[in-house]
Amino acid sequence: MACREQMLSNDYMEILLDYTSPYIDEIYPEHCIELIDDEFAVVLVNRSLLPPISISTFTYTAIPKLYGLMQENATPEQSNFDPLSLIRTGILQVQRPPLSLTGRGVIIGFIDTGIQYDLQVFRREDGTSRILAIWDQTIQDGIPPEGFSYGTLYTNEQINEALQSDDPLSIVPTTDTIGHGSAVASVAAGSSINFGLTFLGAAPDADIVVVKCREAKQYLRDYYFIPEGVPAYSGTDIAMAVKYLDSFGIAGIRPVVMCIGMGSNMGDHAGNSLLPRYLSRIAEKRSRVVVVCGGNEGNAEHHYGSSITMSSRLVTEVVEVRVDAQETGFVMELWGSPPNLFSVAIRSPGGEVIPAIDFRSRTTRSFSFIYERTKVTVDHILVEQVAGEEVVVFRFEDPTPGVWTFNIVIEGDSDYSDINMWLPITQFLNGNTQFLRSTPYTTLTEPSLGNNVITPSTYDDSNDSFYINSGRGFARGREAKPDFAAPGVNVSTVFGDRTGSSMSAAITAGASAQFMQWAVVEGNEPLVQSPQLKTYFMRGARRDMEVLYPSRSWGYGQLDIERTFRIIAGTVGG
């Protein structure tokens, strides 16, 4: 394909566009275009022909965000299978007659770290694979899927051939060395082993399609200061993976459920970045469901939010960030609500001050200090093209450890003004860098804020308590997110217990496959799509009389697919 070299080379920058135009030829010389769909595209340009990355040069949405895996901890040893999470969500109950919903006829697609395809939980009783296809974006010596320019596609026939071999990896060399993708897939779609006593996934008869995402190019890792050895994935590759999974769906005939267990703190947290918008667009299609985890940032102290009463035309808000001694660099975003204007003065831990930076001009500015090695780059857009709000991106290189102070001056005659600031997700930081005054709310990670995607938060089904690290809502524009909560603490996977929002996404994806079997495969509601399914699940969710819904933590309650069907049948009230 024309863009293969450019997609793979670190010398080419990926620019995400939400439009296509003949003027691209004039804007970007010697470029190559990879179409995502008729609206979204990736333009690849030699970095030597471009200025350094900045939102004021390339626009905010054009720079790909990087996403991390949303799994927190893993038990070192194999633990016994515990079906509690399947029981608490009603999944086990609807697997049984009379509904017998096991995901039959439904495809669950995973965008993750790959899959260990030789495991028993991904096979049928006769030993053949339930995996229809694996697109490994990291292997370049094979043939990619039709319409794509990189990676290697492995078909069901090739996988079955490999399973009959003494050395499967010599035939199909893809695997999951991290284990995250295999764990997620086992929870959502693991086969019934020993009649469900040894292991059982939520949708054990669903077909499986896997995209093993390649890790982001080094220039993007450098821009975002991603620590060495930490997995990070570009929104470009995730969008391509979504496009591939979408190709398997046939409206009213073959439903596809997509499961994404990744997240980022970069983005406006209102669903306006390119990836959540694209996911929302896909979720609007018939027979498509998109499930995205809500992240594990609720207790990380990486969000500062304040709604300020404008007592005068000039109001100053003081924000403090404690930078860990291990920190080598980080990127931080500030979003301010219109129509007020913002300026920021920065004070280093050593007392040096960057005077108030006026953001009325669209520029990128860099600052150095006399007594400290830190370099601070401040990038700004007065009116961001999609969100329509002011955004400032701070990039700290070799930050001095200690407390950095930001004096944010707000100017205007509006009665109120909102400020939101985000540090990177936990694994994208080297140390315990955090806001001294933080809020646990509006901490759902992107791309879970897409309007039409299904976003579960995470709770502990062993005691019905909300998981302290789970992302919380609402969206920055105060839209109701999450949609509901699903179990995600010590969930049984093929590798033992796992904790994190990727587990609650996996359980939700499995329940979604069950519902799509009933709705599409069995013809009860053949044109259902993500927004409708979301509403069904919200109606059926269990609610506590002492909680006000929608809740920032619980959404509309705890996922319960059995109760959803009881409401549909009219045997229980909503």
Side-chain angles (χ1 to χ4, degrees), residues 168-392:
L169 292 179
S170 66
I171 299 173
V172 175
T174 182
T175 190
D176 177 11
T177 56
I178 296 175
H180 185 271
S182 300
V184 168
S186 69
V187 171
S191 298
S192 175
I193 301 176
N194 190 22
F195 302 101
L197 299 176
T198 302
F199 194 82
L200 180 65
D205 290 330
D207 293 321
I208 299 169
V209 177
V210 175
V211 178
K212 179 177 180 177
C213 272
R214 63 168 179 164
E215 293 204 30
K217 293 181 179 180
Q218 189 61 46
Y219 83 89
L220 277 174
R221 295 179 64 93
D222 293 342
Y223 174 76
Y224 288 108
F225 298 106
I226 306 299
E228 186 176 352
V230 174
Y233 305 91
S234 169
T236 302
D237 293 312
I238 297 173
M240 289 292 183
V242 172
K243 174 184 177 181
Y244 175 67
L245 295 180
D246 180 57
S247 68
F248 284 84
I250 303 174
I253 298 174
R254 185 167 65 179
V256 174
V257 176
M258 302 182 194
C259 180
I260 301 176
M262 302 178 186
S264 172
N265 274 347
M266 301 296 101
D268 75 337
H269 289 71
N272 291 313
S273 295
L274 189 144
L275 183 58
R277 285 166 55 207
Y278 178 55
L279 290 172
S280 186
R281 181 181 172 103
I282 293 296
E284 286 182 325
K285 290 187 174 184
R286 304 296 183 188
S287 302
R288 310 298 200 279
V289 176
V290 180
V291 179
V292 183
C293 70
N296 307 322
E297 289 289 301
N299 199 44
E301 298 181 292
H302 292 158
H303 172 232
Y304 177 89
S306 181
S307 185
I308 301 156
T309 301
M310 297 294 291
S311 55
S312 66
R313 283 188 57 85
L314 285 175
V315 174
T316 299
E317 181 82 356
V318 179
V319 180
E320 296 173 306
V321 177
R322 184 177 61 203
V323 176
D324 193 278
Q326 300 179 60
E327 209 64 70
T328 58
F330 63 91
V331 174
M332 180 177 70
E333 293 185 359
L334 181 154
W335 290 81
S337 61
N340 296 323
L341 299 172
F342 299 80
S343 61
V344 180
I346 305 173
R347 183 181 185 275
S348 75
E352 294 188 65
V353 176
I354 298 173
I357 309 165
D358 191 325
F359 294 126
R360 297 175 202 223
S361 61
R362 178 170 166 169
T363 58
T364 302
R365 307 175 209 182
S366 294
F367 303 90
S368 299
F369 299 86
I370 296 174
Y371 295 106
E372 303 173 63
R373 294 185 307 165
T374 306
K375 178 181 177 181
V376 180
T377 302
V378 184
D379 206 3
H380 169 260
I381 296 178
L382 182 62
V383 180
E384 198 278 319
Q385 288 85 345
V386 180
E389 301 190 10
E390 191 166 357
V391 57
V392 184

Side-chain angles (χ1 to χ4, degrees), residues 131-152:
I131 303 171
L132 299 182
I134 303 172
W135 176 26
D136 191 325
Q137 295 181 345
T138 71
I139 298 177
Q140 309 305 334
D141 56 2
I143 300 173
E146 184 178 356
F148 296 84
S149 61
Y150 65 107
T152 300

Side-chain angles (χ1 to χ4, degrees), residues 543-564:
R543 285 178 275 276
D544 187 328
M545 294 296 293
E546 297 181 0
V547 177
L548 179 64
Y549 298 98
S551 160
R552 287 178 177 263
S553 300
W554 298 95
Y556 285 89
Q558 298 176 358
L559 174 65
D560 188 339
I561 188 172
E562 181 190 28
R563 190 169 184 271
T564 294

Side-chain angles (χ1 to χ4, degrees), residues 117 129 131 133-134 154-163 172:
Y117 63 84
S129 180
I131 303 171
I134 303 172
Y154 300 100
T155 64
N156 178 258
E157 292 76 15
Q158 291 172 302
I159 296 169
N160 283 325
E161 180 186 353
L163 292 176
V172 175

